[in-house]
Amino acid sequence: MNNDISEVLFNEAQIEEAANRLGKQITKDYEGQKPLVLSVLKGAYLWTADVIRKIDLYVDLEFIKISSYHGGVSSSNEIALVTDVQSDVKGRDILILEDIVDTGQSLQFLEDLLLSRGANSVRVATLLDKKEGRKVDIKADYVGFDVRNEFVVGYGLDYKGLYRNLPYVGILKQEIYS
Ligand code: 5GP
Ligand code: MG
């Protein structure tokens, strides 16, 4: 599996450092609040596990599953809600945990959904921010790393369901998907 990667962008130590940095900032920013951490499946599950352990606050944890990529390497405009949250978000301060923000369409979809259900606030902590890919005007509040416009896998991010278990984020060799 490691042989399919052309370049490691962020290793385990760097990711841990990012989780620590964001966790500290989130702890500060939400002082006195009890945010609802909303993890976006499947890509953000490792990031979620690492970040929530760095947040020194009472938090609720929920999962939501949306689909946008349909297994390919470029974003799709159609976003579907696959598995909904199990609790009421009305009045809650929601912190979305995402693996990567690319076009921004998934995030826009989620923000609209949560606000339409009466969420009090919605912020986003993303492991990766692919700013060049943006198609809608939306910004992540907390960013682990900026990433250039290349298809990355690992640490939760997949290609056709694989590579999520790589402990680092890397670039997939082009020959794998071309
Ligand atoms: P957006 O709606 O912002 O275009 O896309 C967000 C979703 O697309 C991410 O949550 C992720 O699942 C997927 N995605 C975007 N860029 C990449 C990438 O480089 N690699 C992988 N594996 N998934 C990506
Ligand atoms: Mg995702």
Side-chain angles (χ1 to χ4, degrees):
M1 181 173 62
N2 282 277
N3 290 334
D4 296 350
I5 304 302
S6 61
E7 186 186 343
V8 175
L9 294 181
F10 309 108
N11 65 30
E12 287 184 78
Q14 289 171 307
I15 294 171
E16 193 190 340
E17 195 277 324
N20 214 355
R21 173 167 51 84
L22 266 60
K24 276 195 183 129
Q25 189 62 47
I26 290 161
T27 301
K28 237 187 232 168
D29 294 352
Y30 284 89
E31 196 193 336
Q33 292 174 273
K34 186 184 174 196
L36 173 64
V37 171
L38 181 60
S39 177
V40 185
L41 294 173
K42 297 175 183 171
Y45 79 105
L46 280 178
W47 177 233
T48 301
D50 285 340
V51 171
I52 56 167
R53 285 181 288 176
K54 305 292 184 188
I55 301 175
D56 184 13
L57 296 168
Y58 295 110
V59 300
D60 285 308
L61 177 62
E62 279 283 345
F63 295 92
I64 195 164
K65 190 167 175 186
I66 56 175
S67 70
S68 58
Y69 252 56
H70 311 297
V73 294
S74 64
S75 265
S76 142
N77 294 330
E78 284 161 62
I79 293 153
L81 182 58
V82 179
T83 309
D84 206 346
V85 297
Q86 300 297 303
S87 65
D88 192 0
V89 302
K90 196 164 185 222
R92 299 303 305 268
D93 295 300
I94 297 172
L95 178 66
I96 297 173
L97 290 192
E98 257 289 22
D99 50 0
I100 184 166
V101 182
D102 180 14
T103 66
Q105 284 161 325
S106 304
L107 201 51
Q108 183 83 273
F109 173 88
L110 283 174
E111 282 201 5
D112 290 350
L113 180 75
L114 297 166
L115 291 171
S116 77
R117 290 177 178 177
N120 184 55
S121 69
V122 181
R123 283 191 213 159
V124 184
T126 187
L127 170 68
L128 303 171
D129 192 355
K130 207 188 264 185
K131 293 195 171 77
E132 268 175 70
R134 213 65 105 247
K135 286 187 189 158
V136 296
D137 186 23
I138 200 161
K139 258 180 76 181
D141 301 274
Y142 307 96
V143 175
F145 307 98
D146 285 313
V147 69
R148 53 186 198 258
N149 208 356
E150 260 169 303
F151 189 74
V152 297
V153 295
Y155 191 73
L157 292 120
D158 75 308
Y159 172 61
K160 293 192 172 169
L162 302 178
Y163 306 103
R164 295 191 196 276
N165 54 323
L166 284 174
Y168 55 81
V169 173
I171 297 176
L172 194 61
K173 285 182 183 164
Q174 210 138 5
E175 68 212 52
I176 306 291
Y177 57 83
S178 58

